[in-house]
Amino acid sequence: MSAFIDPHPTRMKQPSPQPTATPLEALGIVTLCFGWFIIGSLWSVSAGFRDAAFDDASLFGIMAFELFVGPIALLILRSRGYSVRDLLPVPSLKGCGVGALLYLVAVLASLVAVSLLADGAATQPIERMMQTARPSMAMVLALSVVNGLYEEVFLLGYLQKGLRHHGASFALGVSVLVRVLYHLYQGPNGALSLAVVGIVFGVFYLRTGWLWPVVFAHMLADTLPFL
């Protein structure tokens, strides 16, 4: 019986580390998760920022796409050795509080950047979209939960974390670039604002490895403008 007794009973088993993302794998996941949004964003720019609608139908379409593609991407990553449990954030009240503060920091930083670097005279596409937005609050709340999880899990929890072995600056830069590419439809000021938000979120995650506050901050960013 002694052969089966652990000589170090207090020793905890360490979780296996997540694999590092290869360039081809990262490109495939980004294409799957964000390719359609990037194409739509680039089309909007090429068409002169044609006004899009924020209504229940458009928000439902985004949510349905993410609910369909998200599990597929997770299954692919699982088949490549990733732990789905480690990719997904763990909600907590403390994390919500930290996320609220993170949201405020991101908003203030983006406002400063836009006031210093952007053209404040021209009307921006995102402003026109918000003026005509008529979604129901139930749909806004539902999308904020799905979209906050979807974007941050694959942008930070997978992409930025998976590319960290190439250097923190490179990993952060790639995640910010992808975030900006699928938000170009918001116009120059919107893209600049989202770049700053992406930097704030990405630096926080690089320093802490704590994903839930970023997800909650993203949920607030998707919800509060409609109030």
Side-chain angles (χ1 to χ4, degrees):
M1 294 294 291
S2 61
F4 297 95
I5 297 176
D6 188 348
H8 304 285
T10 60
R11 182 175 57 190
M12 299 294 292
K13 293 182 179 180
Q14 298 297 322
S16 57
Q18 293 278 33
T20 55
T22 65
L24 185 60
E25 177 194 277
L27 178 61
I29 294 298
V30 167
T31 301
L32 174 64
C33 295
F34 303 106
W36 179 251
F37 297 131
I38 292 174
I39 291 172
S41 192
L42 293 175
W43 177 85
S44 177
V45 174
S46 67
F49 296 104
R50 293 180 60 182
D51 291 346
F54 280 141
D55 54 24
D56 280 5
S58 63
L59 297 188
F60 179 80
I62 295 172
M63 185 170 63
F65 178 90
E66 294 177 347
L67 288 173
F68 177 73
V69 172
I72 295 175
L74 289 175
L75 286 174
I76 293 173
L77 292 175
R78 182 183 178 186
S79 72
R80 294 188 56 81
Y82 291 83
S83 168
V84 173
R85 177 179 295 180
D86 291 341
L87 286 169
L88 298 177
V90 178
S92 68
L93 289 177
K94 181 180 179 181
C96 292
V98 175
L101 292 176
L102 184 64
Y103 168 74
L104 291 176
V105 171
V107 168
L108 291 175
S110 64
L111 288 175
V112 170
V114 169
S115 66
L116 292 176
L117 302 175
D119 180 10
T123 302
Q124 298 294 306
I126 186 60
E127 296 173 359
R128 297 194 298 269
M129 293 170 68
M130 292 303 296
Q131 289 172 359
T132 59
R134 296 294 184 272
S136 65
M137 187 49 58
M139 184 58 68
V140 169
L141 291 173
L143 178 68
S144 70
V145 173
V146 173
N147 190 58
L149 282 167
Y150 182 89
E151 291 193 24
E152 303 310 333
V153 164
F154 294 113
L155 273 182
L156 299 185
Y158 164 71
L159 186 63
Q160 182 174 290
K161 184 178 181 180
L163 295 177
R164 183 69 185 273
H165 62 288
H166 290 293
S169 297
F170 177 81
L172 175 63
V174 171
S175 69
V176 172
L177 175 62
V178 174
R179 191 187 298 269
V180 170
L181 282 176
Y182 63 81
H183 284 106
L184 289 176
Y185 70 91
Q186 295 188 8
N189 289 8
L192 174 60
S193 177
L194 263 296
V196 174
V197 169
I199 292 172
V200 172
F201 285 2
V203 169
F204 175 86
Y205 186 65
L206 280 172
R207 296 293 300 272
T208 67
W210 196 7
L211 190 58
W212 176 249
V214 182
V215 171
F216 189 76
H218 192 135
M219 292 177 182
L220 293 177
D222 283 350
T223 303
L224 295 182
F226 289 99
L227 298 179

